[in-house]
């Protein structure tokens, strides 16, 4: 089993709903990431947090709002999404040292209706 | 920015055969090259990685080779088994903080590997 836990596993939401995705890791990693993956495509980076501060936003629309409450938790708040935002949302973590690999969770499968 | 090309997009082999997946990258500053295996309904799992100061790395049935001059790297799986069937992604990035330039890995498009019993 993966050491990065994501909840929920599946989420169906309407375009007017507000929902949140959650991610937790207890490996002591100080970098955490959100990736988006469409079917049959590679993961695409959305956000990077280092030491609980947002360090990279890959020009993601404001209807996606990340939050890092502490070094173990990462949230992604969703509001007014579009059907094209339906995808697998992956959380990952890594150490902040040269050569540290990313550890991915199993993702949240999001469907926007 | 970095561009990673991966071939083939699909690969079908018989159990016990070898499988080879190849990737090329464009940014000579990239120096970290991980390979991920993604099974249906799961997130990508790291299977092996290599850094630019190493030409080859092996872990049991899996090996990766890197040619920095030619900017290409390859994954070799020997004695394939049905449980090796999955999507495989190569990636390239820098190896400063986090080994991934703060997570800025560029992924290849993926290879669907099918191992027939």
């Amino acid at each position: 089993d993966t050491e990065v836990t994501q909840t929920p596993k599946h989420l169906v939401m309407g375009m007017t709903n507000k929902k949140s995705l959650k991610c937790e890791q207890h490996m002591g990693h100080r970098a955490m990431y959100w990736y988006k993956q469409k079917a049959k495509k590679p993961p695409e980076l959305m956000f990077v947090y280092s030491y609980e501060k947002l360090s990279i936003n890959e020009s993601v629309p404001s209807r996606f709002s990340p939050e890092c409450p502490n070094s173990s938790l990462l949230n992604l708040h969703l509001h007014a999404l579009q059907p094209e935002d339906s995808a697998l949302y992956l959380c990952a973590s890594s150490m902040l040292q040269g050569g540290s690999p990313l550890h991915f969770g199993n993702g949240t499968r999001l469907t926007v209706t | 920015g970095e561009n990673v090309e991966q071939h083939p997009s699909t690969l079908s082999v018989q159990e016990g055969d070898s499988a080879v997946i190849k990737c090329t990258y464009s940014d000579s500053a990239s120096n970290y090259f991980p390979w991920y295996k993604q099974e249906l309904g799961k997130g990508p799992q790291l299977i092996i990685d290599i850094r630019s100061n190493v030409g080859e790395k092996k872990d049991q049935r899996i090996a990766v080779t890197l040619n920095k001059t030619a900017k290409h790297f390859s994954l070799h799986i020997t004695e394939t088994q049905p449980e090796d069937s999955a999507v495989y992604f190569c990636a390239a990035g820098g190896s400063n903080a986090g080994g991934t330039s703060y997570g800025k890995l560029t992924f290849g498009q993926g290879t669907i590997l099918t191992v027939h019993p």
Side-chain angles (χ1 to χ4, degrees):
Chain A
D1 285 340
T2 179
E3 295 170 321
V4 177
T5 303
Q6 291 188 243
T7 55
K9 289 183 172 23
H10 302 275
L11 178 63
V12 179
M13 61 184 291
M15 289 189 285
T16 58
N17 291 160
K18 287 185 180 181
K19 297 286 185 183
S20 296
L21 310 184
K22 298 185 182 300
C23 174
E24 187 169 6
Q25 59 89 13
H26 293 288
M27 294 179 282
H29 292 169
R30 301 308 297 273
M32 296 188 76
Y33 315 82
W34 282 114
Y35 277 79
K36 174 182 178 180
Q37 186 177 26
K38 301 284 275 185
K40 300 186 186 300
K41 295 292 186 182
E44 295 177 1
L45 183 65
M46 300 175 70
F47 303 104
V48 182
Y49 273 83
S50 58
Y51 293 109
E52 296 88 68
K53 294 189 188 307
L54 184 65
S55 58
I56 294 177
N57 176 341
E58 290 286 284
S59 302
V60 179
S62 60
R63 57 186 184 269
F64 295 91
S65 176
E67 178 195 20
C68 191
N70 60 54
S71 60
S72 299
L73 296 174
L74 186 66
N75 298 322
L76 186 62
H77 302 297
L78 314 173
H79 174 55
L81 294 193
Q82 303 297 311
E84 57 264 31
D85 295 321
S86 298
L88 181 68
Y89 288 85
L90 294 162
C91 174
S93 69
S94 76
M95 293 191 292
L96 274 171
Q97 296 170 7
S100 299
L102 294 184
H103 296 257
F104 284 91
N106 284 328
T108 293
R109 175 72 60 188
L110 174 66
T111 302
V112 181
T113 61
Chain B
E2 176 66 276
N3 181 50
V4 177
E5 294 191 1
Q6 182 173 345
H7 298 281
S9 55
T10 61
L11 180 58
S12 183
V13 300
Q14 289 296 128
E15 183 176 1
D17 288 350
S18 294
V20 180
I21 303 171
K22 299 183 178 183
C23 289
T24 60
Y25 62 99
S26 60
D27 188 350
S28 57
S30 291
N31 54 12
Y32 176 65
F33 307 94
W35 286 88
Y36 285 87
K37 174 184 180 182
Q38 188 171 23
E39 297 175 287
L40 199 61
K42 295 188 176 182
Q45 298 299 309
L46 180 75
I47 56 172
I48 196 166
D49 57 10
I50 192 167
R51 293 164 183 80
S52 60
N53 58 344
V54 176
E56 183 174 358
K57 183 177 178 180
K58 189 173 181 180
D59 182 4
Q60 298 183 354
R61 296 186 297 108
I62 295 172
V64 57
T65 58
L66 171 65
N67 183 328
K68 270 198 71 84
T69 303
K71 295 196 186 71
H72 65 71
F73 55 113
S74 300
L75 177 71
H76 304 252
I77 306 174
T78 58
E79 300 173 23
T80 54
Q81 301 166 3
E83 50 266 38
D84 293 329
S85 297
V87 181
Y88 289 80
F89 291 102
C90 65
S95 67
N96 58 347
T100 57
S101 187
Y102 286 99
K104 292 199 73 158
L105 286 177
T106 300
F107 286 84
Q109 290 300 303
T111 296
I112 302 172
L113 173 64
T114 304
V115 180
H116 299 281

